[in-house]
């Protein structure tokens, strides 16, 4: 509490690092932020960190190029993701990937940097897509801080259920959004 301003900068740095390194669980950081900073400040700090981290990863991927992404993630995975991002539905795919729990967001962020996608729409859609998950994680931390463990458990159970559903049915959800997109285009 004594070093709240400095700790906020450390948290933003941790959020950035989490996006760059892909191995640190973002949800754990966001739960801690909800506990420490309150809902709105934690959300603002999380969005700032996600924004900066995504910008760094986007341009880092551009700098390193296709070959480095093939080494890091595998040629097949990168090629599949690039095919999706470079399609006419690329923007919708970014939104869906970031909305659905259980879909590899880190791969998408790196692949976006070497795709035909521009950074501005990617950032807008990825931050919109990240927000529901951030909100839930931050709310869990805030509930724990206030001693509302039952509420925190209920939120966590809902998130886990959504994660499992997202993991099990992600292909069907993406297909659903693809069909909805095609119908909108045909109007």
């Amino acid at each position: 509490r004594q070093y709240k301003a400095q700790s906020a900068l450390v948290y933003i740095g941790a959020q950035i690092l989490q996006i760059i390194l892909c191995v640190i669980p973002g949800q754990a950081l966001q739960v801690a932020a909800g506990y420490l900073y309150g809902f709105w400040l934690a959300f603002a700090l999380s969005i700032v960190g996600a924004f900066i981290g995504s910008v760094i990863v986007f341009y880092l991927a551009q700098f390193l190029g296709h070959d480095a992404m093939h080494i890091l993630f595998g040629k097949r995975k990168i090629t599949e993701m690039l095919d999706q991002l470079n399609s006419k539905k690329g923007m919708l795919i970014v939104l869906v990937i970031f909305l659905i729990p259980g879909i590899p967001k880190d791969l998408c962020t790196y692949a976006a940097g070497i795709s035909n996608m521009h950074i501005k729409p990617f950032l807008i859609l990825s931050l919109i897509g990240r927000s529901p998950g951030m909100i839930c994680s931050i709310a869990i931390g805030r509930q724990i801080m206030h001693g509302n463990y039952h509420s925190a458990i209920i939120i966590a159970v809902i998130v886990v259920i959504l994660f499992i559903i997202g993991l099990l049915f992600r292909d069907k959800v993406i297909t659903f959004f693809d069909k909805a997109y095609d119908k909108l285009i045909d109007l």
Side-chain angles (χ1 to χ4, degrees), residues 92 96-97 99-100 103 165-180:
L92 179 63
V96 170
I97 285 172
L99 271 174
I100 300 174
I103 293 184
I165 290 170
L167 202 59
L168 294 175
F169 298 105
R170 67 178 173 224
D171 292 334
K172 289 182 181 182
V173 172
I174 290 173
T175 301
F176 169 80
F177 278 107
D178 281 349
K179 288 178 183 177

Side-chain angles (χ1 to χ4, degrees), residues 36-182:
L36 294 172
Y37 304 113
F39 182 81
W40 292 110
L41 181 57
F43 184 69
L45 295 173
S46 297
I47 288 290
V48 168
F51 175 84
I52 295 169
S54 295
V55 168
I56 290 169
V57 166
F58 190 93
Y59 287 119
L60 180 64
Q62 276 187 353
F63 175 76
L64 294 174
H66 285 35
D67 292 339
M69 296 304 105
H70 292 164
I71 291 168
L72 288 173
F73 296 103
K75 187 172 183 172
R76 185 183 62 78
K77 283 185 179 180
I78 285 292
T79 302
E80 287 174 7
M81 183 61 70
L82 283 175
D83 288 345
Q84 291 178 341
L85 295 179
N86 290 332
S87 73
K88 66 179 183 175
K89 301 172 189 170
M91 301 293 184
L92 179 63
I93 288 168
V94 168
L95 182 62
V96 170
I97 285 172
F98 282 88
L99 271 174
I100 300 174
I103 293 184
K105 295 161 182 53
D106 306 315
L107 171 63
C108 181
T109 305
Y110 276 95
I114 58 172
S115 73
N116 297 331
M117 191 171 289
H118 296 286
I119 190 166
K120 187 176 179 180
F122 171 76
L123 286 173
I124 291 168
L125 293 170
S126 66
L127 291 175
I128 289 170
R130 284 183 196 273
S131 293
M134 282 183 180
I135 288 168
C136 290
S137 297
I138 291 166
I140 289 169
R142 199 64 189 153
Q143 294 303 315
I144 292 170
M145 188 271 187
H146 286 297
N148 297 331
Y149 302 110
H150 288 94
S151 298
I153 290 169
I154 290 169
I155 295 169
V157 166
I158 291 169
V159 170
V160 168
I161 290 169
L162 290 174
F163 171 77
I164 292 168
I165 290 170
L167 202 59
L168 294 175
F169 298 105
R170 67 178 173 224
D171 292 334
K172 289 182 181 182
V173 172
I174 290 173
T175 301
F176 169 80
F177 278 107
D178 281 349
K179 288 178 183 177
Y181 180 84
D182 287 339

